[in-house]
Structure formats: structure tokens, C-alpha cells
């Protein structure tokens, strides 16, 4: 009989779930392309910003994006977005999506051509989470 177990470490469970999901998806959609991407902003050897994402099938998911405060508002963010989108296109991506909190960068993503397709209110401090997408 199967039983539910709460895990304190996720490694083995994550590997099993991911393997099962990849197999199931391949049955339904055929073998899928997958690529991780990272673009850094550097001052010398120091990483002062960057953007991390992955392309699965034809969609780029921007997972993480940050840069030091002193560099914001100087076009570096726009250049990082363009760089990861360009790399994703080389891999066959035709769409991008991401999420951000209301205190982070929804206005920035709108200025980069992203359109909001959903949000969830109710985070502490009146914060809202927003989801954006863009055709590449």
C-alpha cells in the first residue's frame, strides 16, 4: 500500500518526480528541447547583476533577475532582458513569461513589451504577484 511521506530534503523526490513528469510529457508531446540560460552583468570579476531562465519547448521562463541598486535606471536591465530573449530565440523560443512582485518591477517589464496575464493579491504588506508574457 502506498503512503504519503513528508520529506525534509527534496533531492530524491525531486529527481523521481521530474523523471516521471519528463517521461509523461514526452509520451504526449514527443521529446522536448530544454536549455538553461544565465546572463551576467559584471564589474571586473564581480557579478553585479544578472538574469537566469530556461527554455522548454518554445517558451522562455525568466526565473531570476537582479542587479545592484546603483546600476538601476541606466539601461542595463533592458539590455539584460534583450540578451536573454535573443539567446532564447537562438534556441527556438517564440514566447517568454515571468512573474514579479508589485514592489519589484512590473512597470519595467511593461516598458520592455511584456503584458500582464494574471495576478494574485494577499501577500504580506499588501503585495501583489504579477505574471507577464511577451511574444519573442
Amino acid at each position: 500500500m502506498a503512503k504519503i511521506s513528508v520529506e525534509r530534503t527534496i533531492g530524491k523526490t525531486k529527481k523521481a518526480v521530474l523523471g516521471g513528469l519528463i517521461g509523461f510529457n514526452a509520451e504526449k508531446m514527443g521529446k522536448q528541447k530544454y536549455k538553461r540560460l544565465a546572463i551576467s552583468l559584471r564589474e571586473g570579476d564581480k557579478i553585479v547583476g544578472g538574469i537566469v531562465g530556461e527554455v522548454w519547448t518554445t517558451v522562455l521562463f525568466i526565473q531570476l533577475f537582479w542587479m545592484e541598486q546603483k546600476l538601476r535606471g541606466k539601461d542595463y536591465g533592458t539590455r539584460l532582458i534583450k540578451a536573454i530573449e535573443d539567446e532564447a530565440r537562438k534556441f527556438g523560443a517564440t514566447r517568454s513569461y515571468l512573474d514579479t512582485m508589485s514592489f519589484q518591477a512590473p512597470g519595467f517589464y511593461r516598458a520592455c513589451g511584456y503584458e500582464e496575464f494574471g495576478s494574485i493579491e494577499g501577500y504580506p504588506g499588501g503585495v501583489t504577484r504579477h505574471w507577464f508574457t511577451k511574444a519573442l
Side-chain angles (χ1 to χ4, degrees):
M1 174 190 257
K3 70 175 189 169
I4 293 175
S5 175
V6 176
E7 307 293 330
R8 300 293 177 230
T9 58
I10 66 168
K12 288 174 107 175
T13 301
K14 181 179 177 181
K15 186 176 180 179
V17 170
L18 185 57
L21 186 57
I22 289 170
F24 178 77
N25 289 348
E27 287 176 22
K28 302 297 180 188
M29 299 172 65
K31 185 173 167 109
Q32 301 300 302
K33 295 189 313 179
Y34 175 80
K35 183 173 181 86
R36 292 182 180 153
L37 303 170
I39 312 288
S40 65
L41 178 62
R42 295 175 180 258
E43 287 183 337
D45 290 337
K46 182 181 178 193
I47 295 175
V48 294
I51 188 165
V52 176
E54 62 185 25
V55 177
W56 179 65
T57 66
T58 60
V59 180
L60 165 65
F61 171 44
I62 296 174
Q63 298 168 307
L64 304 168
F65 187 17
W66 164 85
M67 79 176 62
E68 287 186 357
Q69 185 69 39
K70 70 181 182 178
L71 298 170
R72 296 178 189 173
K74 297 182 179 180
D75 199 43
Y76 291 114
T78 303
R79 290 166 52 196
L80 284 167
I81 287 281
K82 182 178 180 338
I84 200 166
E85 290 172 350
D86 288 347
E87 286 301 310
R89 280 186 198 95
K90 290 177 188 175
F91 195 67
T94 59
R95 177 153 296 281
S96 176
Y97 81 100
L98 57 90
D99 66 272
T100 189
M101 303 302 239
S102 55
F103 65 89
Q104 291 173 329
F108 168 76
Y109 293 116
R110 286 184 189 99
C112 289
Y114 282 78
E115 297 178 9
E116 186 169 349
F117 68 90
S119 65
I120 297 177
E121 297 176 348
Y123 285 84
V127 171
T128 301
R129 188 172 191 169
H130 302 270
W131 279 267
F132 288 88
T133 188
K134 176 182 178 181
L136 296 181

